[in-house]
Amino acid sequence: MLRYLAVRLLSAFPALLLGLIGLFVFRLLPSQSVWEERIDLLALEGGSYNAQRILQEKIRIRKELGLDLPVFYLSLQSAALPAALPPGMPDVQKEWVKKICLLTGQSDKALQLVSALQAQSFAAWVVEDDELTWERVRSSVSGNDSAASSEILSLVNELEASSQQWRAYLPAVYWNDSGNQFHLWFSQLLRGDLGVSWKNRERVLDVIGRALSNTIVFTVPAIILIFLSAYWLVIGLSQLGARAKALADQVIYFFDLVPLFGWALLAMILFASGSVFSWFPSHISASSLNGLSFLSRSFWPYVLPVAILWISTLPYITKHIDNAFQKSADLPFVFMARARGLSEHVIKKRYRLRYSLLPAITLFGEYLLAVVSGALVVEVLFSIQGVGMLLTQSVGAQDYPVVTGIILLLIMVRMLSYLITDVLYYWFDPRIRLSNQ
């Protein structure tokens, strides 16, 4: 058994690795929320729009979040840029140096100018949003000490005369070793660290953990109730007559046609809006969902969310189990059980129903994801601060570390469902045990 599960886990590793690389792409998307709130405060500082301070703050936040590092082990950038900038240089000056290198097309000579500027302790190192030009360089140098600026101006003139700006458009491949965003992100991931939320600067694990506890409150009871109800419902259907069974099948098909959103709206209108009944709350506040302490609280507010997930998923699962149950009546192992003198009740519960659960086990991962996706609708309608609501808010706020963490959680849930399916198949189907031996 353990060997079988180990092989299954190893076979899923390449797909998981590709999925992680795909998730990393989210970090490359631009996000205004990274600096939006802080930048708004700086823009109003002193009653005027402080562009220089805003740009410095952008650089600082990008460095704080590691967004200033190369993306991958190999990076493609302009051949005019140096492989590494002088250590200890302020971040604002690094941006200026990059613009000088792109302007000259010669990184070595541009770094000579930088060394001369550092030696003279020039205060004209500014990074502007506009494109850097030779006129801007001369004007900044001329504003300093005249004796020093004449020496620097000669270097500027020499650089302009020998400029190879066309090199700025040539690509070059650089090896970044471990100093890249993917290496840091993946190493943090192996340590169980998903990074920091760009929106509120909290640890992503803490943010998702709070939301996950709020989702577990009603999804886990719903999943348990769905499968137990389907099991006993199929047993009850097997004891009906032909006409009653046909009528029950039509009712199940009708219930299956109604989407989850329809059941949710109907339940809200009938039982939570006050128009008909007001038995359940229409809004479940975050204060009533304090982690897993719901076990010590009243479960009444969660009855309606659980019922919505239950009634929207139960017919689909029941159909699969019941169809397999009806087909199992003429299988050889049923004739063998009858030949041994076993009662029909024992045959139904011990043999036919066990065989009928195999299709439901096969689609267990699909059922689980259907419940998770249905939880998103329920959370929005009842204002539950769960994983679905968090995903919606994070996408709107462009908080990609949280979005990446939630998608990774869904991938792990999907892999866990496959593992549970294999374990259940090993338990319910003796043919797998024999083939494994």
Side-chain angles (χ1 to χ4, degrees):
M1 176 65 176
L2 294 178
R3 179 183 177 184
Y4 174 74
L5 294 178
V7 171
R8 295 287 290 174
L9 287 175
L10 289 176
S11 63
F13 181 77
L16 177 62
L17 184 60
L18 290 176
L20 293 177
I21 295 176
L23 288 178
F24 178 71
V25 175
F26 276 102
R27 291 181 56 90
L28 309 182
L29 299 176
S31 175
Q32 187 66 18
S33 65
V34 174
W35 50 68
E36 192 171 50
E37 182 179 353
R38 177 61 178 158
I39 297 309
D40 288 342
L41 294 176
L42 289 175
L44 299 175
E45 193 174 89
S48 61
Y49 189 83
N50 194 331
Q52 181 65 23
R53 290 290 306 278
I54 288 176
L55 195 55
Q56 291 176 354
E57 188 67 13
K58 284 184 178 182
I59 296 173
R60 187 194 67 80
I61 294 177
R62 286 183 62 84
K63 184 176 181 181
E64 176 185 332
L65 299 177
L67 300 176
D68 60 324
L69 298 174
V71 174
F72 203 63
Y73 295 99
L74 293 176
S75 62
L76 187 66
Q77 62 184 24
S78 173
L81 294 175
L85 293 174
M89 180 180 292
D91 296 324
V92 175
Q93 293 183 2
K94 288 181 180 180
E95 295 297 320
W96 192 86
V97 170
K98 291 178 181 178
K99 290 189 176 184
I100 282 289
C101 291
L102 294 175
L103 186 63
T104 63
Q106 303 177 78
S107 59
D108 50 349
K109 291 186 178 181
L111 291 178
Q112 290 179 7
L113 174 62
V114 171
S115 301
L117 289 170
Q118 287 178 325
Q120 299 295 341
S121 300
F122 270 36
W125 290 51
V126 293
V127 179
E128 304 179 14
D129 290 331
D130 301 331
E131 183 179 357
L132 192 64
T133 61
W134 292 110
E135 289 74 15
R136 290 184 179 274
V137 175
R138 290 193 184 88
S139 63
S140 62
V141 171
S142 302
N144 287 269
D145 179 67
S146 58
S149 61
S150 60
E151 178 184 349
I152 303 297
L153 275 175
S154 62
L155 287 175
V156 172
N157 293 331
E158 181 182 349
L159 270 177
E160 184 181 10
S162 61
S163 175
Q164 299 179 4
Q165 195 172 3
W166 54 269
R167 286 175 52 86
Y169 303 100
L170 294 180
V173 178
Y174 293 91
W175 172 254
N176 302 307
D177 200 37
S178 60
N180 61 84
Q181 294 186 41
F182 180 80
H183 181 88
L184 295 179
W185 177 76
F186 192 68
S187 59
Q188 289 177 348
L189 186 64
L190 292 179
R191 296 194 300 268
D193 185 5
L194 297 177
V196 178
S197 169
W198 289 353
K199 181 180 180 181
N200 51 23
R201 301 296 191 274
E202 290 186 72
R203 293 176 67 244
V204 172
L205 279 177
D206 295 338
V207 175
I208 297 179
R210 288 196 302 268
L212 182 61
S213 64
N214 296 339
T215 300
I216 289 175
V217 170
F218 63 94
T219 53
V220 171
I223 292 172
I224 296 174
L225 186 61
I226 287 168
F227 281 94
L228 289 179
S229 301
Y231 179 86
W232 290 107
L233 185 57
V234 171
I235 293 179
L237 291 174
S238 66
Q239 298 174 357
L240 297 177
R243 292 186 177 181
K245 178 64 167 59
L247 179 61
D249 288 340
Q250 294 301 318
V251 173
I252 292 175
Y253 275 104
F254 170 76
F255 275 60
D256 189 39
L257 289 176
V258 181
L260 181 141
F261 191 76
W263 287 117
L265 287 180
L266 182 62
M268 289 281 290
I269 294 173
L270 291 179
F271 304 111
S273 65
S275 301
V276 182
F277 303 105
S278 57
W279 295 346
F280 304 97
S282 60
H283 175 84
I284 302 178
S285 61
S287 59
S288 65
L289 298 175
N290 184 14
L292 295 180
S293 62
F294 71 95
L295 294 174
S296 61
R297 299 173 181 263
S298 172
F299 193 73
W300 188 251
Y302 318 115
V303 171
L304 202 55
V306 170
I308 292 171
L309 291 178
W310 172 74
I311 199 172
S312 62
T313 312
L314 176 63
Y316 183 69
I317 297 178
T318 303
K319 283 196 310 179
H320 279 87
I321 299 178
D322 186 59
N323 289 337
F325 185 84
Q326 298 302 323
K327 294 178 182 178
S328 66
D330 299 326
L331 293 179
F333 67 86
V334 175
F335 289 114
M336 289 294 298
R338 287 171 181 156
R340 291 167 56 191
L342 298 178
S343 65
E344 284 296 325
H345 180 73
V346 173
I347 293 174
K348 286 180 180 179
K349 294 191 65 175
R350 185 179 297 179
Y351 295 96
R352 292 181 60 187
L353 190 59
R354 185 172 182 175
Y355 170 82
S356 304
L357 290 175
L358 294 181
I361 294 173
T362 303
L363 298 174
F364 176 77
E366 304 299 329
Y367 299 149
L368 192 59
L369 287 182
V371 173
V372 172
S373 61
L376 170 60
V377 178
V378 174
E379 288 173 1
V380 172
L381 287 176
F382 288 90
S383 301
I384 301 174
Q385 297 300 317
V387 175
M389 182 71 78
L390 177 63
L391 178 61
T392 303
Q393 295 172 348
S394 300
V395 170
Q398 299 177 342
D399 194 355
Y400 295 121
V402 176
V403 175
T404 303
I406 294 176
I407 296 177
L408 181 62
L409 173 65
L410 295 178
I411 291 176
M412 299 304 294
V413 169
R414 187 64 177 263
M415 293 186 63
L416 179 62
S417 68
Y418 288 153
L419 183 62
I420 294 175
T421 300
D422 291 336
V423 173
L424 292 177
Y425 248 107
Y426 192 89
W427 183 23
F428 278 91
D429 194 344
R431 294 171 297 180
I432 293 181
R433 293 198 295 270
L434 292 174
S435 62
N436 191 42
Q437 292 173 359

